[in-house]
Amino acid sequence: GAGVSQSPRYKVAKRGQDVALRCDPISGHVSLFWYQQALGQGPEFLTYFQNEAQLDKSGLPSDRFFAERPEGSVSTLKIQRTQQEDSAVYLCASSLDETGGGGGELFFGEGSRLTVL
Amino acid sequence: GQNIDQPTEMTATEGAIVQINCTYQTSGFNGLFWYQQHAGEAPTFLSYNVLDGLEEKGRFSSFLSRSKGYSYLLLKELQMKDSASYLCAGGGFQKLVFGTGTRLLVSP
């Protein structure tokens, strides 16, 4: 597609439910990132993929968060047993540059807004 | 560690010039980015500086001083559509760290 596509755009979950957020990056982009953005804050790094390899997951807040990119294109961020503090916008970004943003522009999707009740 | 600081909010009038400052302490620094984010939308790329100096791109310019850990974004001939958050971001390979963003309000 022309840009980074994320789905669902909006997700309401009851506390304790599992959710899965999908990211379809720009075709051919090597690097893929997930960021979490709370209201009024900047995006905070969660995890980074280079093709199918997850090279950095240091930003994942707990072991309830899991991300994968099995074929090096589409990625899924899964949150198990959601809690209210997980409410945020989850942004996916991709980059052609395999240095992962060190020199390459990031292209962001519009995000998935998760609200946990 | 990595720490990026920028003002929370600024106001300006249409047609004016505004400068948004950003200071940073980063390890493995590899350039500094500015992104624009309208409310409810995705951040979009504005500029990237890796060398000291001023980069000009139309109404927007960005400056970097690596020795001072300082950058600014300069917006000229402000328009109402420039009301948005401006995110300063920097860091090393494979992990871009964002500031909290500066919300710019442009009034008529």
Side-chain angles (χ1 to χ4, degrees), chain A residues 67-117:
Chain A
E68 61 183 5
R69 193 187 185 196
E71 297 179 0
S73 55
V74 171
S75 176
T76 303
L77 176 67
K78 297 179 180 178
I79 309 173
Q80 297 177 322
R81 304 181 303 283
T82 53
Q83 300 178 7
Q84 286 188 322
E85 59 262 32
D86 300 334
S87 296
V89 175
Y90 291 86
L91 293 167
C92 176
S94 70
S95 171
L96 181 62
D97 184 354
E98 65 183 21
T99 63
E105 172 187 347
L106 293 185
F107 293 84
F108 282 87
E110 293 192 323
S112 293
R113 182 180 295 275
L114 173 65
T115 302
V116 182
L117 302 177

Side-chain angles (χ1 to χ4, degrees), chain B residues 3-18:
Chain B
N3 189 40
I4 294 180
D5 293 311
Q6 53 182 129
T8 303
E9 189 170 298
M10 298 181 72
T11 58
T13 54
E14 206 172 5
I17 298 173
V18 70

Side-chain angles (χ1 to χ4, degrees), chain A residues 23-41:
Chain A
C23 173
D24 205 333
I26 294 173
S27 178
H29 276 197
V30 169
S31 299
L32 185 145
F33 300 79
W34 284 97
Y35 282 83
Q36 180 190 59
Q37 187 172 26
L39 189 64
Q41 301 296 313

Side-chain angles (χ1 to χ4, degrees), chain A residues 35 37 56 58 99 102 106 109, chain B residues 30 35 37 42 48 94-96:
Chain A
Y35 282 83
Q37 187 172 26
D56 189 340
S58 62
T99 63
L106 293 185
Chain B
N30 195 50
Y35 281 80
Q37 187 176 28
Y48 172 59
Q94 301 170 357
K95 184 184 286 186
L96 202 57

